[in-house]
Amino acid sequence: MPKRLADHRGPELVNNKLIHEQYGIVALSGGQLKHGHFEMMRNTINRNLDLNKSFAVWRVDPPWKPVTRHGQGKKLGGGKGAIDHYVTPVKRGRIIVEIGGYVPTRMVNRVLIDVAQKLPFPAKAVSKADLDHWEQEDKYVLENNLNKFRWEWCIKNNILNVINYVGKYDIEFCHLGPDCR
């Protein structure tokens, strides 16, 4: 069971927009990236794109969170195990890598879809238009919702004693709804 689940639980509130407004990969759920995943992304992008005409910007930190393990075949007990590897926690909605420059859309989509399918959590290749469309969709649903029993309203008014069953992250992110992107 991974510890400090708060590192990859909930939506990303800061790094969720494209800086160069062209193409990128967005995480659809939380997860952890190991060193091998960074190497896979770097190799795939470098092999398939012309770096004289395009560029890639890493939007996630290098692995910094230690993961400990006991050796195989050891008996139980003996305290905390030694550090096995390091990971980078990623929240839902985080932009992982961004690609820009003078590149054909078809080629960039092929490369980004290839990278997104190899990641250890669901991810999607997106463009600036996709992110704008998602934002307009969310705004439209929020403005035109006729149901007054919204998630934030139920938590605020403690409908059916829901406050005893929700966690602090549900309360913190209640304005985004229970199944936000």
Side-chain angles (χ1 to χ4, degrees):
M1 182 72 169
K3 302 297 180 196
R4 290 180 58 186
L5 290 175
D7 289 340
H8 51 83
R9 179 183 285 174
E12 177 66 42
L13 301 175
V14 178
N15 296 314
N16 54 4
K17 303 268 190 257
L18 293 171
I19 293 173
H20 301 287
E21 300 183 350
Q22 289 192 358
Y23 307 101
I25 296 176
V26 66
L28 298 178
S29 72
Q32 297 179 342
L33 291 173
K34 295 181 182 179
H35 174 70
H37 298 120
F38 283 96
E39 287 297 311
M40 175 271 303
M41 289 188 285
R42 183 183 63 81
N43 286 335
T44 305
I45 290 170
N46 287 345
R47 286 181 185 146
N48 294 313
L49 291 180
D50 182 14
L51 297 179
N52 293 327
K53 296 179 181 179
S54 63
F55 59 90
V57 178
W58 299 100
R59 298 286 303 275
V60 290
D61 300 328
W64 58 270
K65 182 179 173 184
V67 175
T68 58
R69 291 240 167 90
H70 278 290
Q72 187 176 3
K74 289 216 173 176
K75 294 189 177 182
L76 294 177
K80 192 169 178 78
I83 293 176
D84 184 47
H85 61 278
Y86 291 89
V87 296
T88 297
V90 175
K91 291 186 175 191
R92 177 192 46 197
R94 171 100 187 216
I95 301 293
I96 298 168
V97 66
E98 191 171 343
I99 293 180
Y102 299 106
V103 287
T105 305
R106 197 179 88 239
M107 182 143 184
V108 170
N109 280 339
R110 183 177 55 85
V111 172
L112 290 180
I113 288 170
D114 187 27
V115 170
Q117 288 175 347
K118 293 178 185 176
L119 290 176
F121 46 81
K124 186 173 183 177
V126 295
S127 66
K128 175 70 172 154
D130 294 336
L131 292 179
D132 290 342
H133 179 69
W134 287 356
E135 193 173 322
Q136 288 175 350
E137 239 178 43
D138 292 342
K139 186 188 279 186
Y140 177 79
V141 167
L142 190 63
E143 290 173 353
N144 297 321
N145 187 5
L146 300 177
N147 184 4
K148 74 172 193 174
F149 294 108
R150 293 194 312 260
W151 183 244
E152 67 178 53
W153 187 85
C154 290
I155 290 177
K156 184 174 75 176
N157 295 311
N158 198 16
I159 302 300
L160 294 175
N161 203 17
V162 74
I163 208 74
N164 291 336
Y165 302 105
V166 298
K168 66 178 184 178
Y169 294 104
D170 295 324
I171 295 170
E172 182 179 349
F173 301 119
C174 71
H175 65 283
L176 301 172
D179 54 351
C180 59
R181 219 185 309 279

